[in-house]
Every structure is written in C-alpha cells, then in structure tokens.
Amino acid sequence: MAALFGSRVRRLRTAAGLTQAELGARTHVVSTRITQIERASGAKPTLRLARALDAALNVPCGGPDGQPPQPPKPRPPRTQPPAAASEAAPASAATETTAPPAPAPARAEPQDQPRLADADPQAVAVLTALRRVDPRLVLSEQEAARLAPAVAQWLAAGVGAHQITELLTTRLPDRFLTRPAGILAFRLRETPLPAPPPLRLPAERLPAVLPFQTCDGCERAFRAPEPGRCRDCRSANRLRAAG
C-alpha cells in the first residue's frame, strides 16, 4: 500500500507541475520526506501528512494506506407517521411540559501542562531565537514548553543548533494558516532524525609521535624525545661496564 500511495503522489505531483521541494514547502516538510513517500521508504506517512498532501495537490489522495476515500452511504428516506396514529394521540400530550435539556458536562482542563522552567535550556534557547530568522515565529511560554522536548531530542541525537534552526525556518509558506507553533511541531514530528555522528577519540588520548634523533655512538636514526644514544649502543655500554 505504501508503494501504491507513493506512486499516486508522484503522478499527481508531476501532473500539477510541482517539484519535490515545492510540494514539501506546501506541506511544511523537507523535500527528502517527499522523496521517501514517493519511493515507499522511511516512516509511513501520518494521517495529518496525507491530508496535507491532499490539500496541496488539490485532489483526493486517500488515507495514509493509499486507499481512495469511500463515498458516503445514502440515508434511507424518513417515513411519515400514519394519519390515524396522529389522530389517536391523546389531546393531553400537547399540554405536557417539555423537560429542560440536561446541562453540558464541564470540560476538564488538563492538569499536567509542561512548564518552561522544566524544559531543556538549550532547546528553549533554539526556539526563542527562531524569531530572529523569521519575525513571525514568535512563541508563547506554553508553546515553547511543548516544543522543547522534541528539540532536546534532536540535540541529543547530535544535530547542532544552527542545523535545527535551518530545518525549522527554510521554505516556510508566505502565509501561515495556523499558529507558528503548529508548523514547527509538524516539522519536528515529520523530519527524520539523522544518524548519530561517529565516535572519535579525544586528541589527548592519541599516542604522540616522537621525533627522529641521531645516535651519538653509531649515528643511526632512532625515535626519542631527546638526543642521545640508540638502544643498541646503550646495551653495548652496559655490557662493557659489567665486564
């Protein structure tokens, strides 16, 4: 189904005259994500992304499993009650008092809201600095607290702050149809994390290379931190001293 969905997206994008980068800009994802969808590789597209592709291509693309939307089932016509039954209704029914509707249940407010004070400071710094690149990316404290865990996950995976800023601010639409926090959350969720960088030994743990020295006894070259005699000459001197 993923291959069928990807081939359909590629056909509709080509028919619309759009590049992968242009389609990614319209759906708020990078062009590599569009490549993964068309090749049926990587993570399966979410329902939100499938709907965004539907709107960007201006045709029904179906759900994330590649199936076209099903037409609504026709509803059966309502039948009128028999006239005899209406006439047989007691006259007292018209005078009955209608019971008042039950009050709507109170909407429960979420108790565990993330707090900005508990968020990763480096992740918060990345989010608050986005408005310097695009003045429209102004976030409230609550929005920054909700987005900070995803940015902290990127930082832990080895993605630098400059690279995160570029991924979140490149190819933004000219007009936002939602809050900036919604666009940033979409990109953080849909952009795959890069592979972790290879491990490297610190420079101080690498073995030092000793310079070449000329032996004072045999004039052969040997490696040592200071000038002097090579190992063979030192051994010969110890034998002569012992004899």
Side-chain angles (χ1 to χ4, degrees):
M1 291 299 178
L4 179 62
F5 182 77
S7 62
R8 183 177 178 85
V9 170
R10 185 188 304 108
R11 184 172 65 256
L12 294 173
R13 175 182 61 79
T14 304
L18 297 175
T19 64
Q20 292 179 344
E22 292 172 341
L23 182 56
R26 292 190 179 187
T27 54
H28 311 304
V29 296
V30 293
S31 59
T32 54
R33 183 61 176 144
I34 302 299
T35 304
Q36 291 178 346
I37 293 174
E38 292 184 354
R39 295 180 178 177
S41 62
K44 185 178 180 181
T46 61
L47 179 59
R48 184 188 298 271
L49 180 55
R51 290 175 176 173
L53 290 170
D54 184 3
L57 295 174
N58 210 14
V59 290
C61 289
D65 56 355
Q67 294 295 333
Q70 298 295 329
K73 296 181 179 180
R75 299 177 60 181
R78 297 183 59 182
T79 58
Q80 296 294 334
S86 299
E87 295 174 356
S92 60
T95 61
E96 291 181 358
T97 304
T98 304
R107 184 177 180 181
E109 295 293 335
Q111 299 296 328
D112 299 330
Q113 289 288 350
R115 298 189 308 167
L116 191 63
D118 300 332
D120 183 87
Q122 189 176 0
V124 174
V126 172
L127 290 169
T128 54
L130 294 177
R131 65 175 181 268
R132 301 176 185 173
V133 181
D134 193 325
R136 299 175 296 173
L137 300 179
V138 178
L139 303 175
S140 66
E141 292 187 3
Q142 193 66 36
E143 291 170 340
R146 289 198 303 266
L147 295 175
V151 176
Q153 184 180 5
W154 280 31
L155 292 170
V159 185
H162 176 75
Q163 186 178 359
I164 295 176
T165 301
E166 185 177 358
L167 289 172
L168 294 179
T169 57
T170 301
R171 298 182 181 274
L172 288 174
D174 296 334
R175 181 182 178 186
F176 289 172
L177 301 180
T178 182
R179 287 279 302 167
I183 298 176
L184 297 178
F186 185 84
R187 290 197 170 189
L188 287 169
R189 183 175 60 253
E190 294 296 330
T191 305
L193 287 173
L199 297 177
R200 295 183 179 179
L201 292 176
E204 58 270 15
R205 295 180 57 184
L206 297 177
V209 179
L210 298 177
F212 280 105
Q213 307 290 348
T214 300
C215 178
D216 295 339
C218 63
E219 296 186 353
R220 288 189 301 178
F222 70 102
R223 291 187 179 273
E226 299 177 353
R229 294 178 178 270
C230 65
R231 183 174 54 185
D232 294 340
C233 291
R234 291 195 302 270
S235 298
N237 288 341
R238 284 195 296 268
L239 291 175
R240 284 197 296 270

